[in-house]
Amino acid sequence: MRAAFGPHALWGIVAGNEGRRSGASYNPRMCPMPDGGFVQLASSIFKAYDIRGVVPATLTEDVAQAVGLAFGGAARAAGQQVVAVGRDGRLSGPLLAQALIEGLTQAGVDVIDIGMCTTPMLYFAASTLCESGIQVTGSHNPVDHNGFKMVLAGRAIYGDEIQALRHAIEKDAWPRVERGRVSIADVLPAYVQRITQDVKLARPMKIVVDCGNGVAGASAPGIFRALGCEVMELFTEVDGRFPNHHPDPSKPENLRDLIATLRGSDAELGLAFDGDGDRLGIVTRSGENIFPDRQLMLFAQDVLARVPGGTVVYDVKCSQRLAPAIRAAGGEPLMHCTGHSLIKAKMREVGAPLGGEMSGHLFFKERWYGFDDGTYAGARLLEILSRHADPGAVLHALPTSCSTPEINVACAEGEPHGLAAELQALAPPTFGAEARISTMDGLRVDWPDGFGLIRASNTTPVLVLRFEGQTEAALERIRARMLALLARVKPDAVLGASAH
């Protein structure tokens, strides 16, 4: 077995201790490995949509190797012989990717190592060079986190399929197979060519791009320049310490630098990306944050003009204004559970040309591959806005309401889903016939003038809340009623910062 921590041991130990102080679950199980050693495996890292842990408290090189072994076995069982591997810009990425590749090749699959890239570029590789892939990424999570997003035979895996990887590691059923081979590929040129051949701007535009020192900084500015844009760059140097602000555009505080730069320049628009480049944030010249559910209204108008009657899939956190906007554009709205893997699966099921989440994941099947890609979504946005002299006016005209950003309520590990079930049981006798109640993903209550949502996060031990009203008075009424309901099941609830 390799050394527990590798060259970044000191950094890793500090980060891991911080992870424990912040409440990371650490109840490992010792699982045998093919070379006779053991790996400490914490079941808590196997999330609903991906694998995520704290380095090295719950995620080590040995765990990465074990994940590679398990995924490689699943790939072979699915008839897959080749797996693409990429990584974002986190400090722990190179060693975890190396260990993952070791496990994959031990399992008998060939690996295409595409190096440091955005998660969408890994998806692109798994759509063009092969059909399966793993991105080593911590996405928007804290500096000491990392993990794996996985595509198997053309599908983003989630839920039971991720748990099956854990069970495979725990079973220690490692067959003796011929080791796979490793090749190296640079997918950026083909990725850039694919976007620039597809997207055409009606006129040049001047934009500001804030990558928050995430991995999108290595590719997004160049792609927008190739489309004909003049680009002002903010924090585009890839730095896994994220020294300027956290790379999460869903949190308003992370957009302050972008807003300030826009106001001090003649740029027309600001684009912001998360740590692994699969989410998009948009800010107008006046400093208004155009939330992803409103972005989806604009994209629906464009896509449905070419795919009349198409279904647009969106998650339960999205605005009540979205469904009427989709119908007005000639489409069929379909609300679904939150989660990028879940939205992609539902889109495949119903043949939807477009989908999106309030968190900033946007999915284009029309003209693209159906995966979430912040850079491609930004390019499609610029294509639409370049037809207008005043992009801000187009975005400001999109239907809107008074709303809160996402809010979280910290809970004990394992508590959120139980609380959500209690809320679901209390809602019908509390609200009666005056409201429409949905329990597909937590509790969403819709009134004629707004909605309230309380759901359990599938990635962290928090409840996620969002409230919307067509007026400020409606928003305050709905917020008060939903918080009163929450207080009945969790009297000690404390509202905190937004969570994805």
Side-chain angles (χ1 to χ4, degrees):
M1 297 293 285
R2 62 174 54 81
F5 306 124
H8 298 305
L10 179 60
W11 168 82
I13 291 169
V14 172
N17 289 339
E18 181 61 33
R20 290 189 184 93
R21 287 197 296 271
S22 65
S25 175
Y26 190 62
N27 298 304
R29 176 172 175 173
M30 300 300 292
C31 301
M33 293 286 279
D35 59 7
F38 290 85
V39 58
Q40 295 187 19
L41 192 71
S43 61
S44 62
I45 69 173
F46 295 86
K47 309 293 186 182
Y49 324 126
D50 49 35
I51 296 173
R52 262 185 232 179
V54 180
V55 180
T58 56
L59 184 56
T60 64
E61 294 166 63
D62 291 333
V63 172
Q65 181 183 348
V67 169
L69 278 159
F71 187 90
R76 286 170 59 89
Q80 300 288 297
Q81 185 54 44
V82 182
V83 176
V85 171
R87 57 179 172 82
D88 68 16
R90 288 175 181 260
L91 302 181
S92 57
L95 292 177
L96 291 177
Q98 180 183 351
L100 176 71
I101 290 170
E102 172 67 16
L104 288 165
T105 55
Q106 278 185 303
V109 298
D110 295 334
V111 171
I112 303 175
D113 181 0
I114 65 171
M116 190 176 74
C117 62
T118 65
T119 293
M121 287 170 64
L122 181 279
Y123 293 155
F124 178 77
S127 300
T128 57
L129 301 180
C130 55
E131 295 182 299
S132 299
I134 302 178
Q135 176 78 349
V136 181
T137 176
S139 186
H140 60 284
N141 287 292
V143 171
D144 56 339
H145 289 222
N146 216 324
F148 310 100
K149 292 183 179 179
M150 297 163 286
V151 177
L152 179 61
R155 299 181 302 103
I157 66 171
Y158 62 92
D160 290 344
E161 291 174 295
I162 290 178
Q163 294 304 317
L165 298 178
R166 174 172 68 89
H167 296 320
I169 297 170
E170 291 173 346
K171 280 176 61 179
D172 176 32
W174 309 122
R176 292 187 176 275
V177 295
E178 183 179 349
R179 178 182 284 270
R181 296 168 297 178
V182 180
S183 60
I184 296 173
D186 179 6
V187 301
L188 181 59
Y191 177 73
V192 173
Q193 182 180 42
R194 178 66 176 80
I195 293 176
T196 55
Q197 286 180 343
D198 177 72
V199 177
K200 303 298 179 184
L201 272 58
R203 62 175 179 84
M205 295 184 68
K206 185 172 183 178
I207 61 174
V208 183
V209 173
D210 184 346
C211 296
N213 298 111
V215 73
S219 55
I223 290 172
F224 293 127
R225 289 191 178 99
L227 291 172
C229 293
E230 181 179 347
V231 181
M232 299 176 63
E233 299 186 23
L234 282 180
F235 317 130
T236 54
E237 179 185 357
V238 180
D239 186 339
R241 298 169 300 171
F242 309 128
N244 294 288
H245 65 72
H246 205 65
D248 184 353
S250 71
K251 296 185 178 182
E253 61 268 26
N254 294 326
L255 300 174
R256 291 171 184 160
D257 295 308
L258 182 59
I259 291 171
T261 302
L262 277 167
R263 287 177 171 165
S265 75
D266 59 348
E268 299 179 77
L269 192 70
L271 305 181
F273 299 93
D274 70 337
D276 65 334
D278 59 6
R279 293 192 290 144
L280 173 68
I282 299 173
V283 175
T284 66
R285 284 187 66 180
S286 64
E288 182 176 345
N289 181 2
I290 305 299
F291 287 106
D293 49 1
R294 294 181 73 200
Q295 298 172 31
L296 202 52
M297 298 175 190
L298 184 63
F299 288 132
Q301 294 172 13
D302 179 64
V303 170
L304 293 170
R306 293 181 295 276
V307 190
T311 299
V312 179
V313 182
Y314 58 95
D315 78 319
V316 295
K317 293 187 286 189
C318 287
S319 171
Q320 195 179 66
R321 302 276 197 180
L322 179 54
I326 292 169
R327 292 191 186 97
E332 184 64 34
L334 178 61
M335 185 186 293
H336 194 54
C337 304
T338 291
H340 66 93
S341 298
L342 305 181
I343 297 291
K344 281 181 276 198
K346 179 56 72 170
M347 287 178 65
R348 287 171 63 95
E349 177 187 329
V350 302
L354 179 67
E357 287 190 285
M358 188 63 194
S359 60
H361 292 274
L362 296 159
F363 314 86
F364 291 86
K365 182 61 177 175
E366 187 253 357
R367 292 169 46 186
W368 196 240
Y369 300 92
F371 56 72
D372 36 337
D373 186 336
T375 299
Y376 181 74
R380 289 287 290 261
L381 176 77
L382 295 173
E383 181 181 68
I384 296 168
L385 296 179
S386 69
R387 303 169 192 151
H388 303 271
D390 188 350
V394 175
L395 294 170
H396 294 152
L398 296 169
T400 189
S401 293
C402 305
S403 65
T404 67
E406 295 174 37
I407 302 163
N408 74 30
V409 173
C411 300
E413 191 74 45
E415 184 184 19
H417 287 280
L419 292 173
E422 292 182 56
L423 291 167
Q424 290 172 344
L426 288 171
T430 300
F431 301 122
E434 64 176 310
R436 186 172 71 253
I437 295 171
S438 169
T439 57
M440 72 167 62
D441 185 0
L443 174 66
R444 174 166 167 150
V445 184
D446 279 82
W447 286 270
D449 57 353
F451 80 92
L453 172 73
I454 305 176
R455 61 177 291 274
S457 169
N458 284 316
T459 56
T460 53
V462 300
L463 289 173
V464 178
L465 286 60
R466 187 170 188 241
F467 310 118
E468 177 185 82
Q470 294 182 13
T471 65
E472 287 286 354
L475 172 61
E476 290 307 314
R477 186 194 80 244
I478 290 168
R479 175 166 28 200
R481 296 198 66 180
M482 295 295 288
L483 291 179
L485 183 68
L486 176 61
R488 292 169 61 183
V489 301
K490 189 170 177 61
D492 60 344
V494 177
L495 303 187
S498 59
H500 164 45

